[in-house]
Amino acid sequence: QTSYLDLYLIHWPVPVHHVSAYKTLIELKKEGLIKGIGVSNYAWEDYLELKAQPDIAREDLPLVNQIEINPFLYRPKTIANFEK
């Protein structure tokens, strides 16, 4: 058993719901149940939507964005934006 998770990822940015889901994870982080929050499969626009929220502090932005990259699915614009 454990009393917290080191990293919790939102697997997919479900339109309309991903911001509220992310804010719920921030609350769990404040309670000490999660140490870090990340996202998975977020496009640059999804990240910007989170970043634009006035009640999401800079230190609460995602620590990681896990994206799929393979020979058939390559996202150079997404990679370039997140590398900045």
Side-chain angles (χ1 to χ4, degrees):
Q1 292 187 351
T2 184
S3 58
Y4 69 91
L5 296 175
D6 286 321
L7 180 63
Y8 195 105
L9 300 180
I10 294 179
H11 178 70
W12 192 260
V14 176
V16 182
H17 301 289
H18 78 98
V19 172
S20 62
Y22 196 87
K23 289 179 180 180
T24 299
L25 295 182
I26 291 172
E27 292 304 315
L28 294 174
K29 182 180 170 189
K30 288 177 182 174
E31 293 174 23
L33 298 173
I34 298 171
K35 298 296 179 186
I37 305 170
V39 295
S40 182
N41 301 308
Y42 269 49
W44 182 244
E45 295 78 17
D46 300 317
Y47 173 76
L48 291 178
E49 187 176 354
L50 283 179
K51 192 175 176 184
Q53 300 299 310
D55 54 342
I56 295 181
R58 182 173 175 84
E59 62 269 9
D60 288 327
L61 289 173
L63 297 175
V64 297
N65 180 23
Q66 175 183 296
I67 60 172
E68 179 182 5
I69 299 172
N70 63 59
F72 304 106
L73 180 62
Y74 187 67
R75 303 172 182 179
K77 289 181 183 177
T78 299
I79 294 167
N81 282 323
F82 280 105
E83 284 181 332
K84 292 180 187 175

